[in-house]
Amino acid sequence: MISIIIPVLNEEEKLANLLQELKQIEDPISFEIIVVDGGSQDQTVAIASKFAAVYQLKQANRGAQLKLGAEKSSGDVLWFLHSDSKLADYRQGLRQIQDSLKDPRYSAGYFQLVFDSQDFFYRYLAKTSNLRARFLGLIFGDQGLFTTRQQYEKTGGFEEIPLMEDWRFSRKLWKQGKFYQLPITITTSSRRFRKGKIRTHLKMHKIKLLYLLGVPPEKLVRRYYK
């Protein structure tokens, strides 16, 4: 079974479409959908409850949400998915996730990232993100990371930290084996860049640099949401 784990916070606008598309999959591959809410103030929980198993953590961070989702799941494969991400063919995606992890050389995998805009900036961002995952072993949340439960438990899984949880987890997986890039695109929203593309991009790079210099995630998160 594949466990699809979705961390959410105030995602009523995006979540319903994703869950409806997942529930419409007709495939012999069994899967479950787990939504972990981090304290939403909108209709996110009510919407999710119609389609998935829902768990709630008040005022939680994404690391804690992902960790709880994995703990509550029962699949032998874990797929961590953002609510504003989209596949053209979920049925094919599930099949290729399962097939790719049969090869013991691979500890995890991800999808080819694209954004919901054809602007040059977003095409550049997607290209560099895919190269980063391929050559540096850094898969970020919007790339649809998946791994086996065995690998997840072997590495210790996600940490309950407010930022850089995907960085830390993917680096631990990278030490266990290669990453498989599926030949399927995952489209993610460009919304976080809409208040200023270059400014937001530079801020994110600054946060990564500070992290490499030893600044803890608990301090970095203040800069991230400032």
Side-chain angles (χ1 to χ4, degrees), residues 70-88:
E71 290 173 351
K72 296 295 184 180
S73 67
S74 55
D76 55 347
V77 172
L78 308 179
W79 178 20
F80 300 96
L81 185 64
H82 280 189
S83 59
D84 61 354
S85 295
K86 179 181 177 61
L87 296 188

Side-chain angles (χ1 to χ4, degrees), residues 35-170:
V35 173
V36 185
D37 182 71
S40 293
Q41 301 299 311
D42 60 6
Q43 295 301 306
T44 294
V45 172
I47 291 169
S49 298
K50 298 176 183 178
F51 305 96
V54 181
Y55 299 93
Q56 294 178 267
L57 286 172
K58 299 210 174 191
Q59 297 180 337
N61 58 62
R62 183 165 287 170
Q65 289 171 254
L66 292 166
K67 180 179 175 64
L68 179 62
E71 290 173 351
K72 296 295 184 180
S73 67
S74 55
D76 55 347
V77 172
L78 308 179
W79 178 20
F80 300 96
L81 185 64
H82 280 189
S83 59
D84 61 354
S85 295
K86 179 181 177 61
L87 296 188
D89 189 337
Y90 288 96
R91 180 171 174 267
Q92 184 184 26
L94 287 175
R95 286 189 170 187
Q96 292 201 19
I97 285 173
Q98 190 174 64
D99 290 343
S100 66
L101 292 176
K102 291 178 181 177
D103 189 331
R105 294 176 299 169
Y106 297 98
S107 63
Y110 61 99
F111 294 81
Q112 294 185 52
L113 181 68
V114 296
F115 283 86
D116 58 359
S117 170
Q118 289 301 307
D119 183 273
F120 172 78
F121 171 78
Y122 295 112
R123 287 186 283 119
Y124 155 79
L125 201 59
K127 182 68 174 179
T128 54
S129 295
N130 292 326
L131 290 173
R132 179 197 65 226
R134 181 178 180 183
F135 294 108
L136 298 180
L138 290 172
I139 305 174
F140 290 172
D142 51 12
Q143 291 173 285
L145 182 149
F146 56 88
T147 187
T148 63
R149 178 173 298 280
Q150 182 181 19
Q151 289 289 352
Y152 181 88
E153 294 177 348
K154 187 176 181 180
T155 60
F158 280 103
E159 300 174 54
E160 296 183 24
I161 53 177
L163 206 63
M164 313 306 288
E165 76 289 337
D166 43 9
W167 179 304
R168 289 195 185 183
F169 180 47
S170 60

Side-chain angles (χ1 to χ4, degrees), residues 195-209:
K195 291 184 178 180
K197 293 182 289 188
I198 302 301
R199 179 183 175 186
T200 302
H201 187 46
L202 291 175
K203 181 176 78 170
M204 293 171 72
H205 275 299
K206 182 179 180 180
I207 288 172
K208 294 170 190 174
L209 177 59

Side-chain angles (χ1 to χ4, degrees), residues 3 10 13 27 35 94 96 109 188 200 222:
S3 296
N10 297 323
E13 293 184 9
D27 199 285
V35 173
L94 287 175
Q96 292 201 19
T188 193
T200 302
R222 295 176 209 154

